Amino acid sequence: MSIWAIVWLVILIAIFIGTYLLNKNTPKPEGCEDMSECVGCNNIACSHHSAHHKEEIKDAD
Amino acid sequence: MELVSLFVGLTFVNNVVLSKFYAICPLLGVSKKPKNALNMGYAVTFVIFLASIITYLLYYYVLTPLEITYLDLITFILVIASLVQFVEMFLKKTSPEIYKSMGVYLPLITTNCAVLGVALDNISAGYTLIEAMVAGLAVPIGFTIVIYVFATIRERLDIASVPESFKGTPIALITAGIMACAIAGIAGLV
């Protein structure tokens, strides 16, 4: 593996972490705060599943 | 004319969902309501088009000169994941209406293998940039058509008299199989 491959991987990972943190810290627009609930499939491992959404509401209460 | 042929071919004849079986997960998961299916289709179209251009440019102008083309898979995965995060952030800031219409389906595209599949196919097929852009538009349009038609069929299946053991996913998979056979029937079109 060349040095360029390592540099390139570091750049890509840094870009991903950067965009993830920027997106996470960007506030959602008005009226979109409660959109994390998805009922598309039954995969409860997915963080967008309604089961997680209910847990968040319970924790907030 | 070649671009038109490529567009029609990728949209209908070589439809990624029904001929290559990419994106089966959203096809089964997000096809319970036609409205959800359409929203997913819009979001996928947006991301695949952008991802096709960016991955093409990165492959030919970064990976090839540095002789690290063996990193194409991991590069494309990270680029697509970053792109989805960036697009989501951009829409939050600038277009709340579009963000609202795409809803939760935008982050789910990170795991849609059709996005990665198109990026890799563009390279392996040796497309030019224009051809990659056409592919980046034709493939998600084909995906949107299939997922919408599938959702309308599933909506009718919900009220149809289906044997108990076939209800739900089994009949959905049988339907997808019949749709794949129908698509295979127009293989000689292009």
Side-chain angles (χ1 to χ4, degrees):
Chain A
M1 187 184 261
S2 70
I3 186 74
W4 287 115
I6 296 166
V7 171
W8 179 242
L9 278 179
V10 170
I11 291 171
L12 282 176
I13 292 167
I15 289 173
F16 175 69
I17 293 171
T19 50
Y20 174 77
L21 290 175
L22 280 173
N23 183 30
K24 201 179 174 188
N25 294 326
T26 305
K28 288 180 179 176
E30 273 182 40
C32 301
E33 294 88 356
D34 197 27
M35 283 174 55
S36 58
E37 191 173 1
C38 176
V39 288
C41 68
N42 295 321
N43 181 8
I44 57 166
C46 175
S47 61
H48 298 290
H49 193 270
S50 55
H52 291 272
H53 189 68
K54 280 166 194 163
E55 276 175 18
E56 279 172 18
I57 292 171
K58 207 183 281 179
D59 290 343
D61 291 340
Chain B
M1 191 61 198
E2 276 181 18
L3 292 177
V4 175
S5 166
L6 180 71
F7 185 89
V8 174
L10 287 172
T11 306
F12 298 106
V13 183
N14 296 312
N15 187 288
V16 285
V17 184
L18 297 178
S19 69
K20 295 182 178 173
F21 305 109
Y22 295 164
I24 289 293
C25 177
L27 180 76
L28 293 174
V30 198
S31 60
K32 287 176 186 164
K33 291 177 187 167
K35 193 188 166 200
N36 288 353
L38 266 187
N39 281 340
M40 185 66 174
Y42 295 147
V44 166
T45 305
F46 191 58
V47 172
I48 288 187
F49 183 67
L50 283 179
S52 301
I53 298 169
I54 293 169
T55 52
Y56 180 91
L57 294 175
L58 284 176
Y59 186 85
Y60 285 107
Y61 295 102
V62 178
L63 298 184
T64 307
L66 294 176
E67 296 178 348
I68 49 171
T69 50
Y70 56 87
L71 287 179
D72 58 352
L73 182 64
I74 195 162
T75 299
F76 293 174
I77 290 170
L78 284 168
V79 163
I80 290 163
S82 304
L83 182 66
V84 171
Q85 296 289 339
F86 184 78
V87 167
E88 192 179 345
M89 183 185 66
F90 182 77
L91 290 178
K92 273 184 196 170
K93 283 272 186 192
T94 58
S95 307
E97 291 81 18
I98 299 175
Y99 177 75
K100 203 171 181 178
S101 70
M102 287 185 177
V104 75
Y105 302 111
L106 194 57
L108 291 177
I109 295 169
T110 309
T111 56
N112 187 335
C113 62
V115 187
L116 181 63
V118 172
L120 290 171
D121 283 351
N122 284 345
I123 302 301
S124 62
Y127 289 153
T128 62
L129 179 60
I130 300 294
E131 286 170 337
M133 287 166 73
V134 171
L137 206 57
V139 167
I141 287 174
F143 169 80
T144 307
I145 292 169
V146 168
I147 197 170
Y148 181 72
V149 170
F150 193 62
T152 55
I153 295 172
R154 283 188 80 176
E155 206 172 44
R156 294 193 68 175
L157 283 173
D158 282 344
I159 53 168
S161 154
V162 178
E164 194 60 39
S165 53
F166 281 100
K167 277 184 181 168
T169 308
I171 194 71
L173 287 169
I174 291 169
T175 309
I178 294 170
M179 284 175 75
C181 291
I183 285 284
I186 56 168
L189 188 69
V190 177

